[in-house]
Amino acid sequence: QFIRWSCKKLLDSHNHSVLAFVVPLSFLDAESYQYARQYLCQNFSDAWMVAIDADARTGVRSDSLFNTLQGRAVIILTHKYGEENHIDRFHFMDFSLERKIKKEELFLAPIENVVGMFKTFDIDTSRFKFFPVEPIDDELYNKFWPVSDAGDESVFLQQCSGIKLGGTSLLTNVKEGML
């Protein structure tokens, strides 16, 4: 609600505006935030994302700037008053695995030194993710062996996307389209 209220206040103003928030890292790509990201894309003109802290709950080691287990990101959005606003690409930088001192230096550095560190990505309008989608390395993927007890098609090629580590089940079944 706070993001929505802040957006309304900026969009109702008669000035060019900048909106900046510290949000959970999951805001950048989690499905539950899809419509919030879509709203931002429809109402702002430019988007800058900085992944600050990795999600330590997943086992990733992170020297957290915010001293939390949950990952954090900074989003910066601009709105040009009196113009058509629409975001079709975003600028992204990942500092989540850097040391805390380097993160602090980033925020204290002149903008001219930082802006060149961003990479630009197109917005995928099916999910409006603010996180880059890396292509699958087919060569690396093909090096892994399929789970099968025969020479025929394996379960990974037919019904499964991975192995669960829980004792209740060996395989996780999914739809073929996810493979």
Side-chain angles (χ1 to χ4, degrees):
Q1 288 180 344
F2 184 70
I3 292 176
R4 175 74 176 179
W5 177 84
S6 300
C7 291
K8 179 171 176 22
K9 289 295 185 184
L10 287 179
L11 297 174
D12 288 347
S13 76
H14 297 289
N15 298 304
H16 297 307
S17 305
V18 176
L19 178 68
F21 281 111
V22 175
V23 296
L25 184 62
S26 60
F27 183 88
L28 302 183
D29 68 345
E31 194 169 330
S32 58
Y33 294 108
Q34 174 181 339
Y35 295 106
R37 293 188 304 265
Q38 181 178 358
Y39 175 84
L40 296 175
C41 287
Q42 292 169 343
N43 290 283
F44 288 85
S45 58
D46 211 354
W48 301 79
M49 311 295 154
V50 183
I52 298 297
D53 293 332
D55 192 338
R57 298 171 300 176
T58 63
V60 174
R61 282 212 164 142
S62 176
D63 196 4
S64 177
L65 186 64
F66 292 99
N67 200 25
T68 64
L69 291 177
Q70 185 181 36
R72 293 282 182 237
V74 173
I75 61 172
I76 303 163
L77 302 155
T78 61
H79 175 77
K80 296 178 182 175
Y81 176 72
E83 297 181 25
E84 180 77 22
N85 286 280
H86 175 75
I87 297 173
D88 57 2
R89 58 191 186 138
F90 65 97
H91 312 283
F92 181 82
M93 177 176 32
D94 188 351
F95 252 62
S96 62
L97 300 178
E98 297 292 339
R99 302 289 303 162
K100 185 175 182 177
I101 188 75
K102 190 159 185 177
K103 294 173 188 181
E104 291 169 345
E105 289 171 359
L106 167 75
F107 284 112
L108 295 173
I111 191 67
E112 300 84 26
N113 297 355
V114 176
V115 75
M117 301 167 84
F118 285 88
K119 293 181 183 177
T120 303
F121 299 91
D122 291 331
I123 295 282
D124 173 10
T125 55
S126 66
R127 298 274 187 239
F128 292 93
K129 291 186 176 190
F130 287 151
F131 204 90
V133 177
E134 298 293 330
I136 294 174
D137 183 347
D138 288 330
E139 183 180 338
L140 178 63
Y141 182 82
N142 290 329
K143 288 181 181 179
F144 292 91
W145 49 270
V147 174
S148 176
D149 61 354
D152 55 79
E153 294 287 313
S154 71
V155 69
F156 278 114
L157 298 177
Q158 294 176 7
Q159 300 295 326
C160 181
S161 67
I163 296 176
K164 281 179 110 177
L165 297 178
T168 59
S169 161
L170 175 62
L171 300 173
T172 303
N173 293 310
V174 296
K175 296 177 184 172
E176 184 175 303
M178 291 180 70
L179 299 175

